[in-house]
């Protein structure tokens, strides 16, 4: 069952200068609901034939509130209902805007009324915003809410509880009105949201239906309100009556302009399906209608559609995959073909400013796992809507617990959904505060679903687009080639299908020619595009056959920008996945020496890329000697001493483990005083991966280093405690390594008087660690 990602942590007050939202709630509408009037006296019950109500199941009582810029920074699942039987619920609980975390009807009527009025005012703020569709219907709905607010401001609240069921009727009416307004506000947020404009246009009929449902739900709530018991003035009752009549009378049909735009959009998609290049004027007309008027606007649409596709693939039915894929193909085509100016830099600066504002309203404790109390590395959301670190919640399940750790509620399913929004927020927080974030443990976006285009229209659009870009690379001006390389860079990173199309279109030879450009921007975009394309199985041979190895190494050595040299190092890692190419790369003079220098003095990203490239090259036995000759071991040992990044230390340990397989590598590590540093890391590290690398290294050093190494380890009083802890807490592989090392050390202690090493040295076999 599809679940929506929710940020469920205690809410914090936000700055008055920034509007509040409750980001990406969770759950589903229940339709049809149980009657809400069964609790009322017959006198208070309205005519059920005139009522329509949608009620929600409350799953949680808290939600994290962020400034509205949060949605722009971290795209989340849009919550527009898809059909009458299965509609996504926007509100994780009806009372999320009321303090206390208890059911709405238990709050005093004064608090409820104030909260409902605040919600109505928040709806009125959408009057000045641009809607992608249903503009007339949205304007009509907002005007009706303005009338509702006039009524609410005239409703008196009795100082004492009402008798005869009137108090219950008042609370029930206000709670239902509160829920209806919340759902309306969320719908309006979706309709005005940057990035979702094309999608909302395609769903314009559903939007119109939800606007009708919201208006009638508010009318139903006013029917329940005991106006006589409360003492509502006659004038205010007339306003309420007018609101109810208009809400039930208004049709709110889809705008004619919307229908025309949808027809044009479907015609364009049909052209892609038939392999016909769509008219530029029609493309421009549709994009202008929904408000997509720049490269950045188009890029936001693509990012949103990609995120929406990710959520859709988590569902069982996957009913929207085809149309979402088609729209994404269309937007990729339009971004490259229609917009000449790439205004990504100004957009990035704006996003950074928004990000700082978001962080100002985040409590760091809210980013910690409720189980481990540590910053989450891979946050996931359970069916109750609470977010935990994956490792902690999985361990909780494996221990036989099938309840929510926070609420104690029995879980209907142990399904876990990655919470991309909060993960990006954690990364942003770590980046701003200089806190290392374990990139190696982080779950990157899974693009295995992109092996296929997703729809015939998306396939047609992409094939047309890559032909256009390949032509620009071949005969375009310098500016056009740079632009084409940048677009290829983005497309190849996003999709496996895109990579396949680009390789077949012959983009690689043209990109290789750009590596020798004197323009730093062209060179960087070209090497970044080749890096992303090198992940495709067929691309490696094409790169090598066209002399790409030497060109990539030249960029590694003499690239105009640091970023270009970093991309070159990463590209070598992927090229080194082929045994023959590992040998060729290693034979190119100074390649490994340059990589080692990047590990020593490069940026954080450069160090990472250089390390993985060296690791890949070490898989060819002939490169071990070259790595040792380049002075890699002292550099790696020094990095272990000076670095405070856990993920980087783990990578260094992995490379040293590979080097230690041979006796020459062991000797180099011992000469660099690596034994004591590795032992210290094993005793102090909290990383399971790092501890496993350490015990693998120590075992290899003992096997290849002889009695002197073993005798030094035996003297370490804390080593045995660390090894025994790995037996129970480490992975199965780490446990086996620790067990072997413990036996070796114990056997040496028993044979201390012997001059030769025990036979176990010859029996132990080293296994690659990575």
């Amino acid at each position: 069952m599809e679940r929506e990602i929710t940020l469920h942590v205690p809410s914090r007050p936000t700055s008055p200068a920034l509007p509040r939202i409750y980001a990406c709630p969770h759950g589903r509408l229940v339709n049809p609901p149980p009657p809400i009037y069964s609790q009322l006296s017959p006198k208070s019950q309205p005519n059920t034939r005139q009522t329509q109500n949608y009620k929600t199941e409350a799953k949680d009582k808290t939600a994290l509130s962020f400034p509205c810029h949060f949605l722009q920074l971290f795209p989340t699942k849009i919550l527009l209902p898809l059909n009458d039987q299965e509609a996504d619920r926007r509100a994780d609980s009806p009372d999320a805007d009321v303090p206390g975390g208890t059911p709405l009807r238990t709050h005093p009527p004064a608090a409820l009324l104030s909260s409902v009025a605040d919600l109505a005012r928040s709806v009125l703020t959408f009057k000045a915003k641009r809607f992608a569709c249903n503009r007339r219907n949205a304007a009509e709905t907002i005007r009706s809410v303005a009338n509702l607010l006039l009524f609410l401001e005239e409703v008196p609240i009795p100082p004492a509880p009402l008798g005869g069921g009137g108090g219950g009727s008042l609370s029930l009416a206000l709670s239902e009105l509160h829920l209806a307004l919340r759902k309306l506000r969320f719908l309006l947020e979706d309709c005005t949201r940057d990035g979702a404009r094309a999608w909302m246009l395609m769903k314009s009929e559903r939007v119109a239906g939800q606007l009708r449902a919201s208006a009638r739900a508010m009318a139903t709530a006013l029917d329940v309100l005991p106006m006589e018991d409360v003492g509502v003035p006659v004038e205010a009752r007339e306003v309420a009556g007018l609101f109810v009549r208009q809400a039930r009378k208004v049709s709110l049909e889809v705008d004619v302009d919307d229908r025309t735009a949808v027809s044009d959009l479907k015609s364009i998609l049909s052209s892609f399906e038939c392999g016909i290049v769509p008219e530029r004027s029609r493309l421009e007309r549709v994009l202008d209608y929904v408000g997509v008027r720049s490269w950045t606007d188009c890029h936001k649409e693509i990012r949103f559609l990609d995120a929406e596709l990710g959520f859709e693939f988590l569902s069982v039915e996957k009913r929207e995959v085809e149309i979402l894929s088609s729209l994404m193909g269309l937007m990729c085509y339009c971004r490259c073909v229609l917009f000449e100016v790439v205004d990504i830099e100004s957009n990035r600066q704006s996003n950074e400013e928004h990000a700082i504002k978001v962080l100002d309203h985040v409590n760091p404790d809210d980013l910690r796992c409720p189980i481990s109390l540590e910053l989450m590395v891979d946050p996931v959301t359970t069916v109750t809507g609470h977010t935990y670190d994956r490792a902690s919640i999985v361990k909780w399940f494996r221990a036989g617990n099938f309840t929510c750790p926070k609420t104690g509620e029995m879980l209907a399913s142990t399904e876990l959904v990655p919470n991309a929004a909060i993960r990006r927020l954690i990364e942003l927080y770590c980046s701003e505060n200089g806190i290392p974030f374990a990139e190696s443990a982080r779950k990157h976006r899974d693009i295995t679903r992109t092996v296929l285009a997703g729809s015939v229209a998306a396939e047609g659009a992409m094939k047309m687009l890559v032909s256009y870009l390949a032509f620009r690379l071949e005969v375009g001006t310098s500016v056009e080639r740079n632009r084409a390389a940048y677009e290829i860079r983005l497309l190849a990173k996003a999709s496996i299908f895109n990579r396949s199309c680009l390789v077949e279109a012959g983009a690689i030879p043209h990109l290789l020619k750009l590596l020798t450009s004197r323009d730093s921007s062209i060179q960087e975009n070209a090497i970044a595009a080749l890096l992303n394309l090198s992940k495709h199985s067929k691309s490696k041979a094409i790169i090598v056959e066209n002399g790409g190895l030497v060109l990539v190494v030249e960029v590694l050595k003499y690239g105009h920008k640091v970023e270009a040299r970093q991309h070159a190092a990463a590209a070598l890692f992927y090229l080194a996945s082929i045994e023959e190419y590992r040998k060729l790369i290693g034979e190119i003079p100074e390649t490994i020496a340059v990589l080692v220098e990047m590990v020593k003095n490069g940026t954080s990203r450069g160090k990472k890329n250089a390390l993985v490239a060296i690791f890949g090259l070490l898989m060819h036995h002939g490169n071990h000697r070259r790595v040792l000759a380049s002075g890699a071991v002292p550099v790696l040992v020094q990095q272990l001493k000076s670095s405070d990044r856990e993920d980087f230390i783990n990578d260094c340990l992995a490379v040293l483990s590979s080097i230690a397989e041979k006796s020459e590598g062991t000797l180099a590590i011992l000469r660099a005083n690596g034994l004591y540093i590795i032992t210290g890391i094993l005793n102090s590290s909290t990383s399971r991966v790092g501890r496993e690398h350490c015990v693998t290294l120590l075992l290899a050093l003992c096997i290849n280093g002889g009695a002197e190494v073993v005798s030094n380890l035996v003297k370490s009083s804390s080593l045995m405690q660390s090894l025994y802890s790995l037996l129970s807490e480490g992975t199965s592989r780490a446990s086996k390594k620790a067990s072997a090392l413990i036996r070796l050390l114990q056997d040496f202690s028993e044979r201390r008087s012997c001059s030769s090493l025990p036979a176990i040295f010859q029996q132990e076999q080293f296994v690659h660690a990575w």
Side-chain angles (χ1 to χ4, degrees):
M1 183 173 64
E2 181 181 352
R3 311 299 301 185
E4 311 304 342
I5 292 181
T6 315
L7 306 182
H8 286 275
V9 289
S11 59
R12 282 174 59 84
T14 60
S15 169
L18 295 172
R20 291 178 61 152
I21 64 166
Y22 290 81
C24 198
H26 181 302
R28 295 193 179 278
L29 280 169
V30 178
N31 187 16
I36 65 171
Y37 305 108
S38 58
Q39 307 173 41
L40 305 180
S41 61
K43 178 180 177 181
S44 304
Q45 294 183 11
N47 185 343
T48 56
R49 288 178 297 179
Q50 299 177 352
T51 64
Q52 180 180 6
N53 175 62
Y54 297 87
K55 196 166 184 177
T56 58
E57 297 173 343
K59 288 293 185 184
D60 183 50
K61 306 302 180 184
T62 57
L64 177 62
S65 53
F66 288 105
C68 63
H69 306 301
F70 180 82
L71 287 180
Q72 299 173 5
L73 288 168
F74 310 114
T76 51
K77 172 75 169 134
I78 202 163
L79 298 164
L80 177 66
L82 301 178
N83 54 53
D84 291 335
Q85 287 72 35
E86 184 179 337
D88 293 330
R89 179 168 60 96
R90 186 65 190 247
D92 59 342
S93 78
D95 57 328
D97 284 312
V98 178
T102 55
L104 275 170
R105 278 171 288 193
T106 65
H107 287 275
L112 277 175
L113 180 61
S114 176
S115 182
V116 169
D118 287 341
L119 277 173
R121 294 186 187 97
S122 70
V123 168
L124 297 184
T125 62
F126 288 90
K127 183 178 180 180
K129 296 186 179 181
R130 179 180 177 82
F131 286 79
C133 64
N134 282 277
R135 293 159 190 164
R136 179 180 56 82
N137 294 336
E140 181 66 29
T141 302
I142 293 171
R143 280 196 296 269
S144 67
V145 172
N147 292 333
L148 176 62
L149 181 59
L150 293 176
F151 164 76
L152 293 173
E153 291 174 344
E154 296 298 324
V155 175
I157 299 301
L162 299 177
S169 300
L170 176 61
S171 295
L172 178 60
L174 290 175
S175 63
E176 292 298 320
L177 192 58
H178 186 281
L179 180 57
L181 281 168
R182 273 177 54 77
K183 285 154 63 174
L184 173 60
R185 184 183 68 178
F186 289 131
L187 179 62
L188 295 178
E189 285 177 351
D190 286 342
C191 290
T192 57
R193 177 175 169 183
D194 284 344
R197 298 184 179 280
W199 177 241
M200 297 304 293
L201 176 63
M202 290 297 291
K203 293 297 177 180
S204 54
E205 286 197 26
R206 176 57 52 186
V207 172
Q210 289 302 304
L211 288 173
R212 284 195 301 270
S214 297
R216 291 168 185 172
M218 289 185 285
T220 298
L222 288 183
D223 276 342
V224 180
L225 200 148
M227 299 197 187
E228 292 185 6
D229 296 338
V230 176
V232 177
V234 175
E235 296 82 359
R237 292 188 206 178
E238 293 177 353
V239 172
L242 177 63
F243 175 87
V244 171
R245 289 192 297 273
Q246 289 178 340
R248 294 206 170 106
K249 180 180 178 181
V250 68
S251 60
L252 296 181
E253 298 296 333
V254 178
D255 294 348
V256 175
D257 291 341
D258 287 352
R259 293 188 186 277
T260 302
V262 171
S263 177
D264 285 343
L265 189 52
K266 290 181 178 179
S267 176
I268 293 169
L269 296 181
S270 179
S271 297
F272 285 134
E273 291 176 356
C274 299
I276 301 173
V277 177
E279 298 176 7
R280 185 183 182 96
S281 60
R282 178 170 288 185
L283 292 170
E284 292 174 340
R285 183 165 63 247
V286 171
L287 264 61
D288 183 71
Y289 181 79
V290 295
V292 177
R293 299 190 175 100
S294 68
W295 188 96
T296 296
D297 290 340
C298 209
H299 188 60
K300 287 179 180 178
E301 296 286 317
I302 295 170
R303 288 182 59 195
F304 165 77
L305 292 167
D306 183 58
E308 195 75 5
L309 270 170
F311 286 110
E312 191 64 24
F313 270 96
L314 294 174
S315 69
V316 176
E317 299 85 358
K318 299 178 175 57
R319 64 168 62 90
E320 299 295 333
V321 167
E322 184 174 351
I323 184 60
L324 285 168
S325 299
S326 298
L327 289 175
M328 188 168 175
L330 165 65
M331 287 300 166
C332 287
Y333 182 88
C334 292
R335 184 184 68 185
C336 299
V337 175
L338 297 186
F339 302 107
E340 297 296 332
V341 178
V342 180
D343 51 348
I344 188 66
E345 291 299 330
S346 60
N347 181 63
R348 183 181 299 152
Q349 182 179 359
S350 177
N351 276 351
E352 290 176 355
E353 293 173 356
H354 294 336
I356 294 173
K357 292 181 180 179
V358 171
L359 290 177
D360 287 341
H361 305 283
V362 174
N363 183 351
D365 291 338
D366 295 340
L367 305 179
R368 298 181 182 275
C369 175
I371 299 176
S372 66
L373 303 181
E374 299 292 335
L375 281 174
M376 290 181 280
V377 174
D378 185 14
V380 292
T381 301
T382 65
V383 293
T384 60
H386 290 286
T387 299
Y388 305 90
D389 200 17
R390 183 186 294 273
S392 298
I393 192 64
V394 168
K395 187 175 181 180
W396 173 268
F397 290 154
R398 287 176 178 170
N401 302 305
F402 299 100
T403 57
C404 177
K406 287 192 72 174
T407 66
E409 176 184 355
M410 184 62 67
L411 298 176
S413 167
T414 57
E415 177 187 9
L416 300 173
V417 177
N419 196 327
I422 198 169
R423 187 189 68 197
R424 290 171 188 160
L425 189 62
I426 293 171
E427 293 175 7
L428 184 63
Y429 172 80
C430 291
S431 175
E432 290 294 320
N433 292 276
I435 299 174
F437 187 79
E439 294 184 28
S440 59
R442 182 175 58 198
K443 300 294 182 181
H444 295 279
R445 188 176 71 94
D446 180 16
I447 65 168
T448 55
R449 59 177 171 82
T450 65
V451 174
L452 301 176
S455 72
V456 177
E459 181 178 351
M462 189 51 58
K463 288 182 177 179
M464 290 182 194
L465 176 56
V466 297
S467 297
Y468 170 83
L469 293 173
F471 178 76
R472 284 293 185 96
L473 282 178
E474 184 176 6
V475 302
T477 64
S478 178
V479 173
E480 290 172 340
R481 289 178 178 178
N482 188 28
R483 168 73 191 285
Y486 181 69
E487 293 291 352
I488 292 174
R489 172 183 182 176
L490 296 180
L491 292 172
K493 183 177 182 179
S495 165
I496 297 173
F497 178 77
N498 294 352
R499 294 171 191 165
S500 177
C501 291
L502 287 163
V503 171
E504 293 176 3
I508 289 178
H510 300 307
L511 289 170
L512 288 172
K513 293 177 182 178
L514 298 182
L515 295 183
T516 58
S517 173
R518 295 182 179 180
D519 187 312
S520 61
S521 178
I522 292 178
Q523 185 186 65
E524 182 195 352
N525 287 325
I527 188 62
L530 287 166
L531 163 60
N532 294 328
L533 288 173
S534 68
K535 301 171 186 177
H536 191 270
S537 57
K538 296 181 180 179
S539 65
K540 300 176 181 64
I542 299 175
I543 291 174
V544 175
E545 290 169 3
N546 286 272
L549 286 183
V550 174
L551 291 172
V552 172
V553 172
E554 287 297 306
V555 175
L556 173 70
K557 296 177 181 178
Y558 311 114
H560 300 310
K561 298 171 68 174
V562 172
E563 291 79 8
R565 297 194 290 274
Q566 293 172 179
H567 295 320
L572 289 178
F573 166 72
Y574 288 104
L575 293 171
S577 62
I578 307 297
E579 172 64 24
E580 180 184 354
Y581 301 159
R582 293 178 204 135
K583 178 182 177 182
L584 294 176
I585 295 171
E587 291 174 350
I588 299 176
E590 300 182 5
T591 300
I592 294 177
V594 174
L595 290 171
V596 171
E597 178 63 24
M598 186 175 290
V599 172
K600 182 178 180 181
N601 296 317
T603 64
S604 296
R605 173 56 59 188
K607 290 173 183 282
K608 173 82 173 180
N609 292 352
L611 271 177
V612 297
I614 292 172
F615 181 83
L617 294 174
L618 280 169
M619 296 179 70
H620 175 64
H621 64 87
N623 288 329
H624 275 259
R625 175 180 52 80
R626 297 186 180 98
V627 171
L628 293 176
S630 67
V633 170
V635 171
L636 292 172
V637 172
Q638 179 60 35
Q639 294 299 314
L640 292 179
K641 293 168 59 178
S642 60
S643 177
D644 58 356
R645 291 188 55 183
E646 189 175 81
D647 61 317
F648 180 67
I649 290 175
N650 292 344
D651 290 340
C652 290
L653 291 170
V655 175
L656 286 171
S657 296
S658 183
I659 292 174
E661 291 181 17
K662 297 184 179 295
S663 57
E664 297 87 348
T666 294
L667 183 60
I669 293 172
L670 295 175
R671 285 176 176 173
N673 294 322
L675 180 65
Y676 302 105
I677 295 173
I678 295 166
T679 304
I681 294 174
L682 174 62
N683 293 334
S684 61
S685 177
T686 59
S687 168
R688 295 177 66 185
V689 175
R691 286 161 63 84
E692 179 176 335
H693 286 321
C694 286
V695 72
T696 302
L697 256 171
L698 292 177
L699 185 58
L701 293 176
C702 288
I703 294 172
N704 294 325
E708 183 179 355
V709 175
V710 179
S711 64
N712 285 329
L713 293 181
V714 168
K715 298 175 185 178
S716 175
S717 58
S718 58
L719 177 60
M720 293 301 289
Q721 182 179 351
S722 298
L723 293 175
Y724 277 115
S725 69
L726 279 176
L727 294 178
S728 58
E729 300 175 3
T731 63
S732 60
R733 180 180 174 182
S735 178
K736 291 178 182 178
K737 296 286 184 181
S739 177
L741 186 56
I742 290 172
R743 291 198 309 270
L744 190 153
L745 296 177
Q746 289 178 340
D747 191 69
F748 180 85
S749 297
E750 295 172 358
R751 302 168 182 241
R752 187 181 296 272
S753 59
C754 297
S755 60
S756 62
L757 288 174
I760 191 173
F761 289 159
Q762 286 74 32
Q763 296 172 2
E764 292 292 342
Q765 294 182 355
F766 186 79
V767 181
H768 282 283
W770 180 242

